[in-house]
Amino acid sequence: MSFRTRLMLVMLLLTTSVQLAVGWEVLSTLRASTLHTAEQELSVSLTVARHLLDSRADQRRDRVERIASSLDIPGTLTPEDPDRLLDQAMERSGADIAALRNADGRILASRHLPLSMIGEVSSLGRDHDESLGGVKLVASGGRFHQLAVGRLNSNEPAHSLVLGFLLSPALFDEISRLTGKQASIRSSLGSLDELQPTVADEPWLEKSIIVEEGTNGTIEVVARQSFEELFAPFRALRRHLLETFAATFLVTVVVAILIARSASLPVWSLVGAARSVGRGQRLDAESLPKKGEAGLLSRTLIQLQDDIAQREIELHRQSRLDQLTGLGNRGQANEDVEAAIATGTPFTLVRLTVNHMRRINDTFGHELGDQVLRTLAERLLALPTAKRGAYRLSGDEFLLLLDVPRVAPLWIADTYRRLTRPILLAGSPLSIQCALGEVRFPEHGREANLLLRRAEIALEHARAERSIHRCYLHGQDEHHLRRLTLVRDLQHATGRAELQLCFQPQVDAVSGRVTGVEALMRWGHPALGNISPDEFIGLAEGSGNVQGLTNWLINSACQQLSQWLEQGLDLRMGINVSAMDLEEPGLVARVRAVMTRYGIEGRRLCVEVTESAIMQSPERSVRTLQALQNMGVELAIDDFGTGYSSLAQLKRLPVHELKIDKSFMHDLTPQSEAAVIVSSTIELARSLELRVVAEGVESVGVARFLQEAGCTTLQGYIYSKPLVAEAMGEWLHEHAARHQHGTEPGEDPAGHTPDAS
């Protein structure tokens, strides 16, 4: 939408909004005032009606009393006297209803008295009736009568005369004539009488007052006025306002078009200039407006054009610099490497990183960690002149572009010495270690991205081998691509049913009874075949996918354990979790949910965690493990003896079991060095009242040594290799049957069968 159109629309919208607001306010006020005035007039009409009814009631009460007192009544009433008296009273009063009653209210005689009014006539003016004045308005048969009572002058005690007068429509016509509002009377007892006007479908403004209220209902006087009549002036005013609005709107349209046109011409000129600035074209100052606000904006655009040019130069320079160290960043590195490739001259890239940078940040804080990175950048810039450029690629990774076809071992040693000199942090020296990965052009590639990736591969090998320097070797790409493929496919392994659980039994070292099984995860990759857990678990932890694997493991293991428990097997299931699982706050809730789903008690589960996993975040790990212990779940320290946990740390953990790593089981004899470690571990566990499980037991001799040393449980090929669930179920049932019938020939007292695997 153009500026001219928007300006015109704004003016029209503003004018229209003001007119509509004023018109709405006028109409709303007029409507409210009209309604208020009408309600007051209806109230006046009702007041007039009430006064007329009361006045007529007073007149009729006086008339009835005079007639009753003036009737010719003998000393004692004869049977013919009531009819005579009623005829005289009706003739003299013009009443429509007459009745003679005694002191008890019993009607002695009546004229034209409806059955529905007998009760009203009997009670009128007696006891504590609400109409003690002797007049009452009564509805019967759709008609309204005013009943009045007068006492007779006779020897008969308390005889009284009741006369009823039909309300005439003329009364309400008179009210309507006096007040200008239509008046009527209605009762809640039944249908409307002839006094009610015929009302059309049009709505009415109505107001009413109660003139008589009794046990059988209420009688109201109603005043009303039709909305059609009431709002006739309002509609006329509204029509006039609409006509005025239409005329004003047309005038506003014409004025808005003229103003928008005159205001938009300089703007269009400036818009074209701004577009030229955006395209990087130089502005022609002569073609731009020179006067007023448009001229000021023209000069501003010209200045802006110059500022943008300077800013682009500065931004391009800043975008190629690392803000922390002042070195070139990854973008600058790519450009410089591509420029070096374009020359065709051989060169070398050295990619390096600071080992354990995360530990430095955690120990000393990120501020001092940044100081380490800045110091390293300064040392890179101070290296000998063979260096063409130094860059910071990411958090703790740097790159050197060297004008040499390869680096000599002496250069590596000298550079490493220069870079790893102790750094003073807060007055204390800090020693750092680096790893270097080397790649050469054109030997290792002719593209910048390829060279940088292969330099990263060489660096990964240096770090994995705990070496100072490694040069890229042909074929290492395949290993890197394999890792990338595994990381990618691992995300979908559970959904594609590529994962499988195998189980290895754990046997009591003394009785030979199976006490539990350990759940072991296996991955059958559709293209690469069986992948070792040591390989894909590490990749899962590095890529953040380990929690998905752990969820699948917990659910699948508990489901299988539930089936075996239903078959009568007395088992406990061991489940391995990683360091990342212990730091994940939802682990405890998921374990609880799975246990509830399959109805598994906490003592049936044993969570196995390595020493190194606990030591990565001891406080959080302890909280997680204690929460699991509160659910009854047991804890085992896996691969004990290969980590670096302290006895104090071990003591504060809710540990139930230590698992000796299988690396100690090879060639385990009473005279071996491993025997000292194993015996000490068993003795330590006994002093802490912990169970001990030995993994990787493969021979009867090793099993016997462990049994004599006090090992609690044995696990290994001496009993069974890891089996899938169906095969393990058969093995467990067979073993339970053999154990129930005693030791078979060829077995030692603990039930070891060397050929069981």
Side-chain angles (χ1 to χ4, degrees):
M1 186 181 297
S2 66
F3 171 75
R4 178 185 301 177
T5 303
R6 289 198 301 272
L7 181 59
M8 183 178 64
L9 290 178
V10 168
M11 295 180 64
L12 290 177
L13 180 61
L14 180 61
T15 305
T16 304
S17 300
V18 172
Q19 288 182 328
L20 289 177
V22 172
W24 178 263
E25 184 64 25
V26 170
L27 292 175
S28 298
T29 303
L30 179 60
R31 179 182 177 85
S33 177
T34 302
L35 288 174
H36 179 70
T37 302
E39 289 179 356
Q40 289 181 329
E41 292 175 352
L42 290 177
S43 298
V44 171
S45 178
L46 291 174
T47 302
V48 171
R50 183 64 176 264
H51 286 318
L52 287 175
L53 287 175
D54 291 345
S55 175
R56 183 158 296 190
D58 292 339
Q59 294 173 5
R60 286 172 175 171
R61 180 179 63 247
D62 294 341
R63 181 186 300 178
V64 171
E65 289 177 350
R66 288 196 305 271
I67 292 172
S69 62
S70 64
L71 288 175
D72 184 14
I73 303 173
T76 301
L77 292 177
T78 64
E80 295 80 9
D81 289 337
D83 292 332
R84 180 180 59 80
L85 293 174
L86 292 179
D87 291 338
Q88 292 178 4
M90 292 185 68
E91 182 180 356
R92 293 171 60 182
S93 64
D96 300 291
I97 297 172
L100 185 65
R101 67 184 187 188
N102 63 11
D104 296 330
R106 185 169 63 87
I107 297 175
L108 302 176
S110 65
R111 289 289 186 272
H112 310 298
L113 178 64
L115 293 177
S116 60
M117 293 176 60
I118 292 176
E120 300 288 350
V121 171
S122 298
S123 63
L124 179 64
R126 298 175 62 248
D127 299 330
H128 297 286
D129 186 81
E130 67 275 8
S131 299
L132 292 176
V135 179
K136 187 173 185 178
L137 187 61
V138 179
S140 175
R143 299 160 69 87
F144 294 87
H145 292 80
Q146 279 185 323
L147 299 180
V149 61
R151 182 167 297 184
L152 297 176
N153 292 324
S154 70
N155 294 330
E156 297 295 334
H159 277 53
S160 57
L161 175 67
V162 179
L163 298 179
F165 302 90
L166 179 66
L167 285 183
S168 170
L171 173 66
F172 294 95
D173 292 340
E174 178 67 14
I175 296 173
S176 299
R177 185 184 64 78
L178 291 174
T179 63
K181 307 297 178 186
Q182 188 171 357
S184 63
I185 188 168
R186 66 187 178 194
S187 170
S188 63
L189 297 175
S191 60
L192 301 177
D193 73 334
E194 69 274 7
L195 298 181
Q196 293 287 352
T198 302
V199 180
D201 293 335
E202 61 179 323
W204 294 79
L205 178 64
E206 181 180 283
K207 199 166 185 179
S208 64
I209 59 172
I210 297 175
V211 296
E212 198 70 61
E213 186 172 6
T215 57
N216 295 329
T218 61
I219 298 176
E220 298 176 319
V221 173
V222 182
R224 58 166 61 92
Q225 183 177 8
S226 70
F227 282 118
E228 178 69 25
E229 177 185 351
L230 179 64
F231 288 113
F234 174 81
R235 286 192 294 273
L237 177 61
R238 183 176 59 186
R239 183 168 56 254
H240 178 69
L241 288 176
L242 288 175
E243 293 171 354
T244 303
F245 171 77
T248 306
F249 182 78
L250 292 176
V251 173
T252 304
V253 169
V254 175
V255 173
I257 292 174
L258 295 176
I259 295 177
R261 183 175 181 277
S262 62
S264 62
L265 290 178
V267 173
W268 278 113
S269 176
L270 293 173
V271 167
R275 289 174 177 172
S276 298
V277 172
R279 291 191 295 265
Q281 300 173 352
R282 295 297 301 176
L283 295 179
D284 182 9
E286 297 300 323
S287 63
L288 297 177
K290 299 179 176 59
K291 297 180 180 180
E293 289 80 2
L296 177 61
L297 187 54
S298 300
R299 293 188 293 273
T300 303
L301 282 176
I302 295 173
Q303 182 62 43
L304 177 63
Q305 178 178 252
D306 297 336
D307 293 343
I308 289 175
Q310 294 297 324
R311 186 72 57 83
E312 285 181 348
I313 296 173
E314 179 63 19
L315 286 176
H316 183 271
R317 188 183 70 83
Q318 292 291 336
S319 68
R320 296 299 184 265
L321 288 181
D322 176 62
Q323 299 301 313
L324 177 64
T325 62
L327 299 179
N329 59 15
R330 182 182 292 271
Q332 185 66 54
N334 275 318
E335 289 185 4
D336 290 354
V337 171
E338 290 174 352
I341 292 173
T343 65
T345 304
F347 60 87
T348 300
L349 295 179
V350 176
R351 191 162 181 163
L352 60 100
T353 185
V354 180
N355 295 335
H356 311 300
M357 190 64 203
R358 179 180 177 183
R359 190 181 304 172
I360 293 174
N361 285 328
D362 292 342
T363 304
F364 298 99
H366 287 276
E367 184 176 352
L368 294 181
D370 290 345
Q371 183 179 337
V372 171
L373 297 177
R374 284 193 293 267
T375 302
L376 187 61
E378 294 171 359
R379 293 177 179 179
L380 288 173
L381 291 174
L383 289 176
T385 54
K387 168 190 86 293
R388 180 187 296 185
Y391 315 90
R392 184 188 178 205
L393 301 182
S394 62
D396 59 355
E397 286 196 17
F398 296 84
L399 181 72
L400 285 173
L401 174 58
L402 305 176
D403 281 330
V404 292
R406 66 180 62 232
V407 293
L410 289 178
W411 184 92
I412 294 292
D414 181 65
T415 299
Y416 187 82
R417 178 184 59 79
R418 292 171 180 265
L419 297 179
T420 58
R421 294 196 311 273
I423 300 174
L424 287 178
L425 294 181
S428 300
L430 171 69
S431 297
I432 62 173
Q433 295 179 343
C434 296
L436 290 76
E438 176 188 351
V439 70
R440 304 163 186 159
F441 171 81
E443 180 181 349
H444 297 142
R446 294 179 175 272
E447 296 179 1
N449 289 333
L450 179 63
L451 289 172
L452 289 172
R453 178 165 60 83
R454 288 180 171 176
E456 182 179 10
I457 293 173
L459 178 61
E460 288 180 359
H461 280 275
R463 296 182 66 175
E465 298 170 10
R466 300 181 182 275
S467 174
I468 294 175
H469 166 265
R470 281 290 178 270
C471 184
Y472 173 79
L473 298 176
H474 288 289
Q476 289 178 339
D477 256 355
E478 287 73 10
H479 175 71
H480 184 71
L481 292 175
R482 171 187 169 89
R483 289 165 60 87
L484 293 178
T485 300
L486 293 179
V487 169
R488 180 197 64 204
D489 295 345
L490 192 57
Q491 304 176 38
H492 312 289
T494 55
R496 296 171 180 170
E498 297 173 2
L499 296 178
Q500 186 182 40
L501 279 186
C502 290
F503 304 90
Q504 192 170 33
Q506 297 173 338
V507 181
D508 187 278
V510 177
S511 66
R513 183 178 64 87
V514 175
T515 60
V517 294
E518 181 181 2
L520 303 170
M521 195 183 306
R522 298 291 185 263
W523 182 17
H525 193 280
L528 302 177
N530 293 328
I531 310 299
S532 167
D534 294 337
E535 182 177 6
F536 73 79
I537 293 297
L539 291 175
E541 291 178 338
S543 61
N545 295 324
V546 71
Q547 292 174 6
L549 298 183
T550 303
N551 293 341
W552 179 88
L553 169 65
I554 294 173
N555 187 76
S556 301
C558 289
Q559 183 181 19
Q560 184 59 57
L561 175 61
S562 174
Q563 296 176 6
W564 281 337
L565 292 175
E566 290 176 356
Q567 297 172 11
L569 295 173
D570 185 13
L571 293 175
R572 185 188 62 164
M573 180 72 72
I575 303 173
N576 291 276
V577 299
S578 70
M580 294 181 65
D581 292 319
L582 293 180
E583 296 182 5
E584 208 276 313
L587 175 65
V588 177
R590 287 199 301 274
V591 172
R592 181 186 294 109
V594 173
M595 290 169 57
T596 302
R597 183 185 309 145
Y598 296 110
I600 295 175
E601 301 176 79
R603 65 184 181 87
R604 296 290 184 180
L605 286 182
C606 181
V607 173
E608 300 183 7
V609 188
T610 62
E611 295 177 86
S612 56
I614 295 176
M615 293 306 295
Q616 285 190 24
S617 183
E619 297 300 328
R620 184 175 299 176
S621 299
V622 169
R623 288 196 298 269
T624 301
L625 296 174
Q626 286 176 342
L628 291 172
Q629 184 193 40
N630 294 336
M631 296 161 48
V633 178
E634 296 186 344
L635 169 66
I637 301 299
D638 199 12
D639 300 339
F640 187 77
T642 62
Y644 47 84
S645 62
S646 65
L647 294 179
Q649 186 68 29
L650 182 63
K651 181 64 178 177
R652 64 191 292 259
L653 291 172
V655 181
H656 302 84
E657 184 178 280
L658 297 182
K659 298 191 72 174
I660 302 177
D661 187 61
K662 60 186 178 182
S663 61
F664 295 104
M665 298 299 117
H666 298 294
D667 301 325
L668 180 63
T669 62
Q671 294 77 28
S672 63
E673 294 181 359
V676 177
I677 299 175
V678 171
S679 299
S680 301
T681 301
I682 294 174
E683 186 63 28
L684 171 64
R686 292 176 60 183
S687 64
L688 296 175
E689 299 181 352
L690 302 178
R691 297 189 301 270
V692 181
V693 178
E695 296 182 302
V697 180
E698 299 183 0
S699 66
V700 174
V702 172
R704 186 172 292 111
F705 172 82
L706 293 169
Q707 180 185 11
E708 294 173 354
C711 184
T712 310
T713 309
L714 306 179
Q715 176 181 344
Y717 275 41
I718 188 173
Y719 297 108
S720 172
K721 63 182 180 181
L723 301 174
V724 297
E726 183 178 357
M728 177 51 61
E730 296 176 357
W731 187 95
L732 290 172
H733 285 291
E734 293 174 0
H735 184 87
R738 289 198 307 269
H739 185 71
Q740 184 177 1
H741 293 89
T743 304
E744 295 182 353
E747 294 180 343
D748 71 354
H752 304 134
T753 54
D755 58 347
S757 63

